[in-house]
Amino acid sequence: MHLGIDAAGLSPDLDCHHLVVNDWSNLEAPLNVCIASIPTQFDPALAPPGKAVVHAYTAGNEPYSVWEGLERGSAEYEELKQQRSQTLWKALERFIPDIRERTELTMIGTPLTHERFLRRHRGSYGPAISAGGKRSWPGTSTPVPGLSVCGDSCMPGIGVPAAAASGMMAANSLAPVWQHLKVLGELAL
């Protein structure tokens, strides 16, 4: 869910990132873990003066089966979007109690949104790593000699900066940084 909100009266000390866990005993339960960020706390220029940007999502715990077979734009789909987003609204209200009244723009995404616009299989993004498991984020190496991988399914994870960093990690695994710098110098970049 992406929101544009009125930032009047928001504390400048409000943290940018928030993790809300409704039940610590069952981390993988649907709609249990919510993550939110308010990037305008770091850079107010990301929104018009007096406004703020909020992004909130369930952390890989929204089952695709709930959405499978629904037609985007149908009344049933729109109703389910509103219903499922209530978890996010409630999470946001923990640190911005009047978030609903402040909201001027609301964009609710679903796994079908990710599937269509981001071309993600079953609307997912990032690796499927169990919160209770022993696996960590995969790195850039593979069992195939000479093949490296990068993107949001590799360490350091989801989001454009993290995906770009995984590209740098893959490049650095192929050649040392000083060689990168030498080539950039030769290209006058």
Side-chain angles (χ1 to χ4, degrees):
M1 180 164 68
H2 294 272
L3 305 175
I5 68 169
D6 181 353
L10 279 183
S11 170
D13 296 328
L14 180 65
D15 289 330
C16 174
H17 298 289
H18 299 265
L19 172 68
V20 175
V21 179
N22 295 309
D23 179 3
W24 283 95
S25 69
N26 191 5
L27 290 176
E28 295 182 6
L31 305 177
N32 184 39
V33 178
C34 301
I35 298 175
S37 64
I38 311 164
T40 41
Q41 287 298 98
F42 288 137
D43 185 358
L46 294 173
K51 307 300 178 188
V53 174
V54 178
H55 176 219
Y57 60 97
T58 55
N61 53 20
E62 174 69 358
Y64 184 79
S65 59
V66 173
W67 301 93
E68 197 165 17
L70 286 178
E71 184 179 328
R72 290 183 70 254
S74 68
E76 183 183 12
Y77 174 76
E78 295 301 324
E79 183 179 323
L80 189 59
K81 275 175 50 173
Q82 295 303 317
Q83 177 191 24
R84 301 295 280 191
S85 71
Q86 294 311 303
T87 297
L88 298 172
W89 285 110
K90 289 175 184 168
L92 293 171
E93 287 170 337
R94 289 190 183 185
F95 50 92
I96 305 176
D98 61 347
I99 184 80
R100 294 179 200 241
E101 293 78 29
R102 290 176 173 278
T103 299
E104 298 176 5
L105 172 70
T106 305
M107 297 187 314
I108 301 169
T110 71
L112 298 183
T113 308
H114 292 151
E115 187 174 56
R116 178 174 183 210
F117 294 105
L118 304 178
R119 299 184 53 82
R120 299 312 299 248
H121 176 68
R122 299 177 65 83
S124 183
Y125 54 93
I129 297 174
S130 169
K134 296 188 178 359
R135 281 184 46 201
S136 64
W137 284 83
T140 59
S141 62
T142 71
V144 179
L147 176 65
S148 295
V149 293
C150 62
D152 65 356
S153 295
C154 302
M155 181 67 178
I158 299 166
V160 173
S166 75
M168 292 187 309
M169 291 166 64
N172 291 340
S173 72
L174 300 172
V177 174
W178 64 265
Q179 280 186 308
H180 295 265
L181 295 172
K182 180 181 174 197
V183 170
L184 289 172
E186 290 170 0
L187 296 172
L189 296 176

